[in-house]
Amino acid sequence: LWQWRGRPGRGLAVALTFAALAEVLILPAPLYRFPAGQLRQPWIGWLRDRPAGAVALLPFPASGAATDYERTAVGMLQAFEHGHPLVNGYSGFFPPDYVKLFAAMQHFPDQASLQLLREHGATYLVAEAGWAAQHEPGYTGLELLYADSDVQVYRLAP
């Protein structure tokens, strides 16, 4: 391998080239299909007309798997429409304070998770309706502002 057709290093160069190509080889993967109409939902327009304040999307992802962040990615696109920043946006980098919030949100709605949401500037909590129905009895310090068949929007008391 070190010599190919009598020239030292050529075999190594060929092997390294194939290794580099294999590293960047793009294999077919299924793409997430953005749900039609997700940017025209009534709650987005309603939230656009509310005073400034950050939004937390509920539920937080269940794990660190990329597929668990599909809802968050959709929420980031929806944020362009309603104009409020998100406390649980998604990127390839998770700062230590987000990791702490992520861990606390696994026990939502306890006082620790609510307090960390406040510390991150959250004013509004946008919860998927089915998930909210399962967790609502534990909400303390939240005021229901908006509800439809898809979401419930709460205000987090300061």
Side-chain angles (χ1 to χ4, degrees), residues 53-135:
V55 170
L57 300 174
L58 303 175
F60 264 54
S63 74
T67 54
D68 288 343
Y69 284 88
E70 289 175 354
R71 170 66 185 103
T72 305
V74 169
M76 290 172 65
L77 290 172
Q78 291 168 330
F80 284 119
E81 298 297 316
H82 61 64
H84 294 267
L86 298 179
V87 299
N88 56 329
Y90 174 61
S91 76
F93 170 73
F94 294 101
D97 60 331
Y98 176 80
V99 173
K100 184 178 176 183
L101 177 61
F102 176 86
M105 290 304 292
Q106 304 310 308
H107 305 288
F108 182 84
D110 65 353
Q111 289 303 316
S113 61
L114 293 171
Q115 183 57 36
L116 279 173
L117 285 170
R118 287 183 188 96
E119 291 173 14
H120 281 80
T123 301
Y124 304 101
L125 306 181
V126 176
E128 293 176 351
W131 186 86
Q134 293 175 359
H135 292 81

Side-chain angles (χ1 to χ4, degrees), residues 8-83:
R10 183 179 273 184
L12 178 61
V14 170
L16 290 175
T17 300
F18 280 112
L21 289 173
E23 181 180 3
V24 296
L25 180 66
I26 299 174
L27 299 175
L31 296 177
Y32 179 75
R33 295 202 183 278
F34 188 78
Q38 287 292 316
L39 298 179
R40 296 180 299 278
Q41 293 191 6
W43 69 268
I44 296 172
W46 179 88
L47 189 57
R48 181 185 314 117
D49 297 336
R50 301 281 84 69
V55 170
L57 300 174
L58 303 175
F60 264 54
S63 74
T67 54
D68 288 343
Y69 284 88
E70 289 175 354
R71 170 66 185 103
T72 305
V74 169
M76 290 172 65
L77 290 172
Q78 291 168 330
F80 284 119
E81 298 297 316
H82 61 64

